[in-house]
């Protein structure tokens, strides 16, 4: 999703030779948030939790044992949405060495849980449909879903390659830091595609419509994804990307 690492030097002024070792400016982290950032953080996390809890409640209250492999699809994929949301938030914003390092670690952990979750959840649905001969990708949800998952795999590879082993996959740190800029931009576009897929599946699919009330679907699969999207986009620092397309 968003960039795994920021290779730019910190914005802090260098320490003077006489600066004390204890209580130095390195130890006193600056507040990196802007007005509204904290509200957006909690709005995004709360909305992702609402989406997850609503999904799990709908599944668990409708005899999941009778549904074969299907329950693994919405439950694991909603868990992935929560992980991806948190993973992006951990790097919004980070501009100091300590916060960058902490954000990167949390981002990677979230993605290492989120990606397997969505792969397993999607695989469960593919297997479920195949087990009774149902055609694949006959809805916009299915079409957007396979596109999203395919893009996620590439996104993960770009992010991992830009930071693991010093960016060796891209020829070293200097070249790798160019990759993460586009990895970050790609992640924000992918987020829109992911949440659109969630809306199409949870808000409009026949099974969910038959097994839940409209108010729950509206809140969980339309309002919550919209709040996640607006919240995360509101925390973007365009100046950090410094993109060059030509």
């Amino acid at each position: 999703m968003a960039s795994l690492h920021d290779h730019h030097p910190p914005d802090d002024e260098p320490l003077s030779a006489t600066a004390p070792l204890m209580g130095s400016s390195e130890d006193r982290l600056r507040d990196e948030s802007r007005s509204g950032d904290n509200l957006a953080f909690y709005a995004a996390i709360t909305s992702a939790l609402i989406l997850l809890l609503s999904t799990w409640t709908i599944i668990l209250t409708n005899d999941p044992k009778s549904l074969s492999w299907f329950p693994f699809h919405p439950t694991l994929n909603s868990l992935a949405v929560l992980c991806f949301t948190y993973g992006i938030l951990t790097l919004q914003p980070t501009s100091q060495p300590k916060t960058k390092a902490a954000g990167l670690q949390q981002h990677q952990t979230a993605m290492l849980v989120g990606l397997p979750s969505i792969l397993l959840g999607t695989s469960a649905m593919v297997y479920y449909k195949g087990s009774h001969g149902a055609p694949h990708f006959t809805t916009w949800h299915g079409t957007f879903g396979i596109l999203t998952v395919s893009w996620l795999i590439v996104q993960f590879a770009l992010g991992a390659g830009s930071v693991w082993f010093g960016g060796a996959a891209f020829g070293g740190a200097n070249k790798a830091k160019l990759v993460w800029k586009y990895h970050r931009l790609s992640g924000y576009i992918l987020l829109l595609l992911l949440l659109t897929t969630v809306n199409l599946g949870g808000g409009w699919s026949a099974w969910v419509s038959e097994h839940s009330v409209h108010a729950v679907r509206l809140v969980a699969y339309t309002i919550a994804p919209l709040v996640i999207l607006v919240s995360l986009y509101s925390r973007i620092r365009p100046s950090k990307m410094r993109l060059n397309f030509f």
Side-chain angles (χ1 to χ4, degrees), residues 43-85:
I45 286 294
T46 300
S47 297
L49 284 170
I50 288 173
L51 192 158
L52 181 142
L53 293 174
S54 299
T55 301
W56 283 60
T57 299
I58 292 171
I59 293 298
L60 294 176
T61 56
N62 282 284
D63 191 15
K65 291 183 179 180
S66 68
L67 301 174
S68 183
W69 288 88
F70 170 73
F72 292 105
H73 175 64
T75 52
L76 288 174
N77 284 18
S78 61
L79 174 61
V81 171
L82 175 61
C83 290
F84 295 149
T85 299

Side-chain angles (χ1 to χ4, degrees), residues 44-144:
I45 286 294
T46 300
S47 297
L49 284 170
I50 288 173
L51 192 158
L52 181 142
L53 293 174
S54 299
T55 301
W56 283 60
T57 299
I58 292 171
I59 293 298
L60 294 176
T61 56
N62 282 284
D63 191 15
K65 291 183 179 180
S66 68
L67 301 174
S68 183
W69 288 88
F70 170 73
F72 292 105
H73 175 64
T75 52
L76 288 174
N77 284 18
S78 61
L79 174 61
V81 171
L82 175 61
C83 290
F84 295 149
T85 299
Y86 179 72
I88 295 173
L89 287 167
T90 61
L91 292 177
Q92 289 185 313
T94 53
S95 63
Q96 301 168 80
K98 288 184 179 180
T99 57
K100 286 179 186 179
L104 173 60
Q105 184 60 52
Q106 294 166 8
H107 180 82
Q108 290 184 102
T109 299
M111 298 305 158
L112 286 170
V113 174
L115 184 65
S117 295
I118 202 168
L119 290 178
L120 289 172
T122 301
S123 298
M125 191 62 179
V126 171
Y127 180 82
Y128 171 68
K129 283 200 165 189
S131 67
H132 59 274
H136 297 286
F137 316 126
T138 58
T139 64
W140 283 113
H141 172 67
T143 302
F144 276 54

Side-chain angles (χ1 to χ4, degrees), residues 146-164:
I146 197 64
L147 176 60
T148 300
V149 171
S150 300
W151 191 341
L152 271 167
I153 294 171
V154 176
Q155 178 76 357
F156 185 90
L158 289 175
S162 68
V163 295
W164 291 355

Side-chain angles (χ1 to χ4, degrees), residues 160-225:
S162 68
V163 295
W164 291 355
F165 308 108
F170 298 109
N174 288 334
K175 293 181 179 178
K177 74 179 183 180
L178 298 176
V179 175
W180 75 257
K181 297 179 183 180
Y182 298 97
H183 170 74
R184 183 189 293 269
L185 175 63
S186 171
Y188 286 125
I189 299 172
L190 181 55
L191 175 67
L192 174 60
L193 183 60
L194 172 68
L195 295 175
T196 299
T197 304
V198 169
N199 172 257
L200 291 170
W204 304 98
S205 70
W207 189 91
V208 180
S209 297
E210 292 171 3
H211 294 85
S212 63
V213 298
H214 175 71
V216 171
R217 295 194 303 276
L218 177 64
V219 171
Y221 304 117
T222 298
I223 296 176

Side-chain angles (χ1 to χ4, degrees), residues 13-48:
E13 290 295 325
L15 293 175
S16 68
T18 58
L21 293 178
M22 299 300 294
S24 68
S25 59
E26 272 192 358
D27 297 320
R28 298 193 300 271
L29 295 178
R30 300 191 318 273
D31 182 6
E32 297 171 312
S33 62
R34 300 175 303 189
S35 175
D37 277 354
N38 289 335
L39 176 61
F41 178 96
Y42 290 112
I45 286 294
T46 300
S47 297

